[in-house]
Amino acid sequence: MREFDYERAADAAHAVATVHADPDAVFLGAGTNLVDHLKLGITAPGRLVDVSRLPFDEVTERPDGTVRVGAAVRNADLAAHPLIRARYPMLSAALLAGASPQLRNLATTGGNLLQRTRCVYFQDPTVPCNKREPGSGCSAIGGFDREHAVLGASPECIATHPSDMAVAMAALGATVRVLGADGEREIPVVDLHRLPGTAPERDTVLHHGDLITAVDLPALGWATRSTYRKVRDRASYAFALVSVAAALDLDDGVVRDARIAFGGVAHKPWRAFAAEDALRGAAATEENFGAAADAELAAARPQRQNAFKIPLARAVLVATLRDLAGQEAR
């Protein structure tokens, strides 16, 4: 086991300055992902800067109607919070679909956003992986690819992003608040995560030393008509093969607006902009829901073993929208 230094951050500015100045340092929050990687031998930082006790553990309603979620808010607490359950049911449902009760009691909002892929090749240091060792190759291509991406992949990486919570936040249009060496800035959740391109080792647009301090949820009144649906190999403690977070704004059977994101299909939470555009102004019918799904999935490119994800994603989206519209299956 490789030794490392540990220190507890006195405040956020100290934490950022410490990690920014040391290329071998990383933040430690709840550690549910980092500790796994330490055990597996796929990461070996020289210094852990503990930010778990910084004062970012509250959910607060802002004067403009937005809701701010501190980066240290536990997943279980966020799922159960009255504001989240009432205004953003898709987010509460997504959180409850993730991991296990024990992990939800420990995992945090900021850490959940920064989860790394659960690709079996990434987690095995004995095989090539461009995400773990750039330039070594992607063992998933031509290998076991059943759980991998059908949208936005590249010849360098076909891994998927594992978070359920991030899918709901992408659909809602949430904004991440980040403290870096040059001060604070805001990043839309849809822009936080990267597609792999030629640099799959970079999961996000964050710089070394950037610290997520909070996530702002928009004042989206019609997000009360929203939900999260997850298809997986077993009923609990499993990552999504396909998931959908969706919200509908309806007026007399016509879709005024929609927010949709897929999970389990891409290197990042996949905001379904094409499907949303197809739905606006359309009647809330199963036919139109299917057409919207087809518009989004037209760019899908499956691997050898995961072509099933395309019709599955279509079926899950149509069923989710149909339920939100209050229709019965035909």
Side-chain angles (χ1 to χ4, degrees):
M1 181 176 179
R2 177 178 170 178
E3 294 184 354
F4 55 82
D5 295 327
Y6 167 89
E7 63 180 276
R8 185 179 299 174
D11 53 46
H14 170 261
V16 169
T18 301
V19 174
H20 178 74
D22 184 354
D24 207 25
V26 298
F27 296 117
L28 172 66
T32 56
N33 202 194
L34 177 60
V35 171
D36 282 346
H37 292 172
L38 291 170
K39 291 178 178 178
L40 290 169
I42 60 177
T43 188
R47 176 182 295 183
L48 302 184
V49 179
D50 189 342
V51 295
S52 64
R53 293 170 176 80
L54 297 181
F56 301 133
D57 58 352
E58 294 185 355
V59 178
T60 55
E61 185 176 9
R62 312 290 291 175
D64 60 359
T66 61
V67 175
R68 179 162 296 173
V69 180
V73 173
R74 307 291 177 176
N75 286 180
D77 293 336
L78 185 59
H81 196 282
L83 276 175
I84 304 304
R85 293 178 63 190
R87 297 190 188 181
Y88 313 102
M90 72 158 72
L91 178 55
S92 182
L95 286 158
L96 292 174
S100 66
Q102 294 90 337
L103 285 172
R104 292 195 296 269
N105 284 334
L106 183 64
T108 63
T109 299
N112 195 297
L113 286 172
L114 298 179
Q115 288 184 81
R116 305 209 73 189
T117 184
R118 271 24 182 223
C119 171
V120 294
Y121 299 106
F122 171 74
Q123 294 187 310
D124 182 354
T126 68
V127 299
C129 171
N130 285 325
K131 180 174 283 294
R132 193 181 61 249
E133 297 180 25
S136 63
C138 177
S139 295
I141 297 177
F144 178 70
D145 54 31
R146 176 177 178 268
E147 300 175 356
H148 288 71
V150 295
L151 289 166
S154 78
E156 305 298 325
C157 182
I158 59 172
T160 57
H161 185 77
S163 173
D164 295 292
M165 183 198 77
V167 178
M169 287 187 169
L172 288 168
T175 301
V176 181
R177 299 183 63 83
V178 176
L179 179 64
D182 297 325
E184 291 186 314
R185 68 186 191 280
E186 298 179 354
I187 304 171
V189 168
V190 293
D191 296 329
L192 175 67
H193 303 96
R194 298 180 64 258
L195 292 178
T198 59
E201 71 277 10
R202 294 180 54 214
D203 292 340
T204 72
V205 299
L206 298 181
H207 307 303
H208 184 71
D210 282 351
L211 177 66
I212 294 176
T213 60
V215 178
D216 288 343
L217 304 175
L220 194 65
W222 51 272
T224 54
R225 187 194 292 264
S226 70
T227 193
Y228 183 76
R229 179 167 291 180
K230 179 177 181 178
V231 178
R232 45 190 163 176
D233 284 330
R234 56 181 185 269
S236 65
Y237 201 46
F239 297 99
L241 293 171
V242 170
S243 66
V244 169
L248 277 183
D249 182 15
L250 299 177
D251 181 18
D252 195 24
V254 175
V255 179
R256 289 192 298 197
D257 207 349
R259 296 288 179 89
I260 302 168
F262 283 110
V265 298
H267 197 255
K268 61 183 288 184
W270 188 269
R271 179 72 178 269
F273 289 112
E276 293 175 5
D277 289 343
L279 286 171
R280 291 188 185 98
T285 65
E286 188 162 342
E287 181 180 3
N288 287 336
F289 296 156
D294 291 339
E296 191 62 49
L297 295 167
R301 299 292 181 268
Q303 302 298 316
R304 296 182 308 160
Q305 300 162 341
N306 70 357
F308 73 92
K309 282 195 174 189
I310 299 173
L312 178 60
R314 185 187 194 276
V316 174
L317 178 55
V318 170
T320 301
L321 295 175
R322 187 181 60 223
D323 288 350
L324 290 176
Q327 300 176 5
E328 296 180 355
R330 291 190 302 196

